[in-house]
Amino acid sequence: IAAQPRVYRNFMEGPRGEVAVTILDRGRSDVWLLDAADGTPSRLTFEHYNIDPVWSPDGRWVAFASKEENGPFNVYRRRADGSGAAERMVKSPLDQSPLAWSPDGREMMLREARPGTGLGVRLLDVATGTLRPWQRAHPKTLDAVWSPDGKWIAYTSGETGRWEIYVRSY
């Protein structure tokens, strides 16, 4: 993608080739969408400190972590076309960020920073906003993603003392 030089991170390709990305600029962090054909940027977030964009499987939503001043990162979503305001998906006193949507769009995996135990994965029911732990994840799980058929989850974990990739049935 041809785009102007900036500090980019958290690239996430969408289902139609567009890219959601975090752009850091003068103490701000926002989620932007880059056109797949020419790299034209379109800003998606305008308030707070925003990171870790994740596309919904149908490409209609982008979820991201947003941090208000002195608060934790919580998970929000906004329509990819920029219409409507950002919606908080779950409110938590712990830092959380989205990892992946399930292929059917009904669930989302979140990374959660747990005091004393480190990082872990929780599952969010998108319709109800309820969270539940993913029992098979070790407290040092950093990233996770569903297989395209939704039957498997691949994740990274430091449970052996070094970072490794595991695959488990879901």
Side-chain angles (χ1 to χ4, degrees):
I1 294 177
Q4 69 182 44
R6 290 180 153 173
V7 178
Y8 297 93
R9 54 180 261 196
N10 310 120
F11 285 84
M12 179 64 72
E13 185 176 8
R16 292 181 287 279
E18 63 277 66
V19 175
V21 63
T22 300
I23 296 179
L24 304 172
D25 187 29
R26 291 177 272 232
R28 286 201 49 87
S29 180
D30 284 295
V31 174
W32 291 70
L33 304 182
L34 303 178
D35 182 88
D38 63 11
T40 302
S42 173
R43 190 170 169 181
L44 192 66
T45 62
F46 295 87
E47 298 180 299
H48 313 303
Y49 194 88
N50 308 288
I51 60 173
D52 297 337
V54 175
W55 287 93
S56 65
D58 62 9
R60 293 178 42 213
W61 296 93
V62 176
F64 55 94
S66 184
K67 178 182 178 75
E68 296 180 24
E69 189 174 333
N70 299 320
F73 278 104
N74 278 181
V75 177
Y76 288 75
R77 69 178 179 177
R78 184 153 188 224
R79 292 196 177 277
D81 65 7
S83 65
E87 303 172 6
R88 187 187 309 242
M89 297 183 74
V90 63
K91 186 171 182 162
S92 173
L94 303 175
D95 283 327
Q96 296 176 328
S97 60
L99 292 173
W101 295 72
S102 62
D104 63 10
R106 293 181 183 169
E107 292 181 285
M108 181 184 293
M109 280 187 276
L110 309 179
R111 179 187 308 119
E112 182 175 79
R114 300 177 190 156
T117 62
L119 299 173
V121 174
R122 308 259 335 246
L123 297 173
L124 171 68
D125 182 306
V126 174
T128 66
T130 56
L131 282 172
R132 65 183 171 88
W134 182 45
Q135 297 298 332
R136 295 187 176 166
H138 186 271
K140 290 187 177 179
T141 300
L142 184 60
D143 284 305
V145 65
W146 267 281
S147 63
D149 64 7
K151 295 179 180 179
W152 300 91
I153 292 178
Y155 65 99
T156 59
S157 177
E159 62 190 84
T160 65
R162 66 179 196 192
W163 290 103
E164 298 175 308
I165 297 172
Y166 296 83
V167 178
R168 298 261 171 95
S169 65
Y170 180 67

